[in-house]
Amino acid sequence: MFARTTTPWPLVALFTAGYLAPYLLPTTVGRLDSGLPLSATQAGAIGSALLLSSASAGFVLASRVERIGARALARVGLTLAVLGYGTAALTSSVPAVVAGAVLGGFGSGTATTVSATGIAAQRDPHRITTLGLLSVSALAGAVYLTVPHLGPGHGLPPAAIALTALAVWPVTGRLPERTATAHQARRPRDPLPHLRAGLVLAATLLCWSLAQNSLWGVSGRIGLTQAHLSEATVGAVFAAALGAGLLGVLGAGALGPRLGRALPVGAGTALIAGCIALSASATDLTGFATGEIAWNTLYPIVLSYVLGLAASLDPRGRWAVLVGSASSLGTAAGPLAGSLLSAQAGFPAMGVLLALGLLVITLPMTAVALHTSGRPLLSRAVRRRGGTPAVVVAASTGTPADALAQVAPEQPVVEIPIDAPAVPAQQAYGTAGPRQASGTPGA
């Protein structure tokens, strides 16, 4: 397993490299539209292909990190990211840009898979996830502020992602080579624990991300055409929203597990629904800025708790990877869904529909958080030395049950047959009193 250090910075760095591409998707798509002979729809399709490739990496590699090894797999992912995004940045050929985006997306998804698996093995997955979100938010904000001053062209955003992957490469040396022993490789594949809860969480987070990115994909058009703001003003609002996102990540880290998982996930999603409706119906600067800034403040808070919840479902990190990949699918489909909804119903009606959808999925997301809170997340009780189930020990001491698995190895349960004489049949009762040593029972 991954070493449970105080702060596993290699995992945080890998998380940053993997999540940077989705965070820079708006500027990446915008630069493709303006810098290449592509329409807005075609540029958005390239961005969707990038995210779909990233999601596919998670689905393919979710259960293979232990067998391949975190270090080797992380280096493969970073290499693909450098080659793919570097190719997309250095060429003006549209087919080469598409191929580079897809290859780089698979590399980003591979890095995200390794980081999610490692974070799930930590004692406090929520804290490590918060640090990763803080790191990628800060880096994305810096890129958003820097890229406009470096000149036009489509290559700057993918070049930033490629350079980040290259910078993270040295820290992969601190990742384990392999996390599956020969004994584990020979044993049957462990089934996914908490299958129902994991499937519900993956399906709801797909819809959750779809709603978020449906608004994000058309937020610029809302500010320009409906709120009648200038491009500079809309850009300033987005910059303020990114700063608010950093504050949201810091707030999530400060809260930690004090409020549990159900309240941040349920109440936070309900508040996000209100922010989406407000932003989509904005007709002036006040409404537009309030909705966008409040939304970007709440978004990373809820996301950190949802990812922490997914990590707690399986100490091997498979649910964290699968849930994150489902979120990437929603992210990829979001801009297209937002464009279709706004074209058919208008921005205010689109906001209402997205808000109602978020309120509907709030119920199952909160139910999963309530169902898995306050009890150890193991598929079955594993007995340790002394015969005490690990689940009972965890419940009585407050220790996570998967943490106990690191203290003592699992002990096999062996049935030992005992040859015992048959119990004689009960005879009639006699009178009370002392009996002779040779007397028979009931005499």
Side-chain angles (χ1 to χ4, degrees), residues 123-180:
R123 296 185 185 277
D124 189 357
H126 176 260
R127 184 179 70 89
I128 308 304
T129 301
T130 300
L131 289 174
L133 288 172
L134 179 62
S135 175
V136 71
S137 298
L139 181 57
V143 173
Y144 273 111
L145 293 174
T146 303
V147 164
H149 301 286
L150 299 179
H154 75 282
L156 291 175
I161 305 172
L163 291 175
T164 301
L166 189 62
V168 171
W169 174 277
V171 305
T172 58
R174 297 175 58 184
L175 297 173
E177 293 185 4
R178 294 190 65 183
T179 56

Side-chain angles (χ1 to χ4, degrees), residues 66-388:
E66 292 182 346
R67 294 201 302 272
I68 299 175
R71 183 186 303 177
L73 198 57
R75 287 178 173 176
V76 169
L78 294 176
T79 300
L80 293 178
V82 171
L83 293 177
Y85 294 123
T87 300
L90 296 175
T91 183
S92 297
S93 170
V94 173
V97 170
V98 173
V102 172
L103 183 64
F106 195 89
S108 293
T110 302
T112 302
T113 299
V114 177
S115 66
T117 304
I119 289 172
Q122 302 301 309
R123 296 185 185 277
D124 189 357
H126 176 260
R127 184 179 70 89
I128 308 304
T129 301
T130 300
L131 289 174
L133 288 172
L134 179 62
S135 175
V136 71
S137 298
L139 181 57
V143 173
Y144 273 111
L145 293 174
T146 303
V147 164
H149 301 286
L150 299 179
H154 75 282
L156 291 175
I161 305 172
L163 291 175
T164 301
L166 189 62
V168 171
W169 174 277
V171 305
T172 58
R174 297 175 58 184
L175 297 173
E177 293 185 4
R178 294 190 65 183
T179 56
T181 63
H183 171 72
Q184 290 173 328
R186 289 194 301 268
R187 72 183 182 184
R189 182 176 299 178
D190 294 335
L192 278 171
H194 308 284
L195 183 61
R196 183 181 302 174
L199 290 175
V200 170
L201 189 61
T204 52
L205 190 59
L206 187 153
C207 299
W208 190 86
S209 298
L210 175 66
Q212 313 286 329
N213 286 276
S214 294
L215 176 65
W216 182 246
V218 298
S219 288
R221 290 164 52 195
I222 293 174
L224 293 172
T225 62
Q226 182 172 279
H228 306 291
L229 304 176
S230 66
E231 185 177 358
T233 304
V234 172
V237 171
F238 287 161
L242 286 174
L246 290 175
L247 295 178
V249 174
L250 292 174
L255 284 174
R258 293 181 180 87
L259 300 178
R261 295 191 184 104
L263 181 61
V265 170
T269 300
L271 290 174
I272 286 175
C275 295
I276 287 179
L278 174 62
S279 181
S281 61
T283 56
D284 56 14
L285 176 60
T286 302
F288 181 72
T290 301
E292 291 288 327
I293 293 174
W295 169 42
N296 280 276
T297 303
L298 294 168
Y299 170 82
I301 297 178
V302 179
L303 181 61
S304 68
Y305 281 98
V306 173
L307 294 179
L309 175 61
S312 70
L313 292 175
D314 179 21
R316 291 178 58 188
R318 290 169 293 178
W319 276 125
V321 174
L322 293 174
V323 169
S325 298
S327 175
S328 296
L329 289 177
T331 300
L336 178 60
S339 298
L340 293 175
L341 284 174
S342 60
Q344 295 295 324
F347 294 125
M350 177 202 70
V352 171
L353 291 175
L354 294 177
L356 289 176
L358 282 177
L359 292 177
V360 170
I361 66 172
T362 297
L363 298 178
M365 290 179 73
T366 306
V368 172
L370 287 172
H371 178 67
T372 57
S373 296
R375 65 184 181 87
L377 292 170
L378 284 180
S379 58
R380 60 187 180 274
V382 180
R383 292 187 176 273
R384 306 293 173 189
R385 287 192 181 94
T388 304

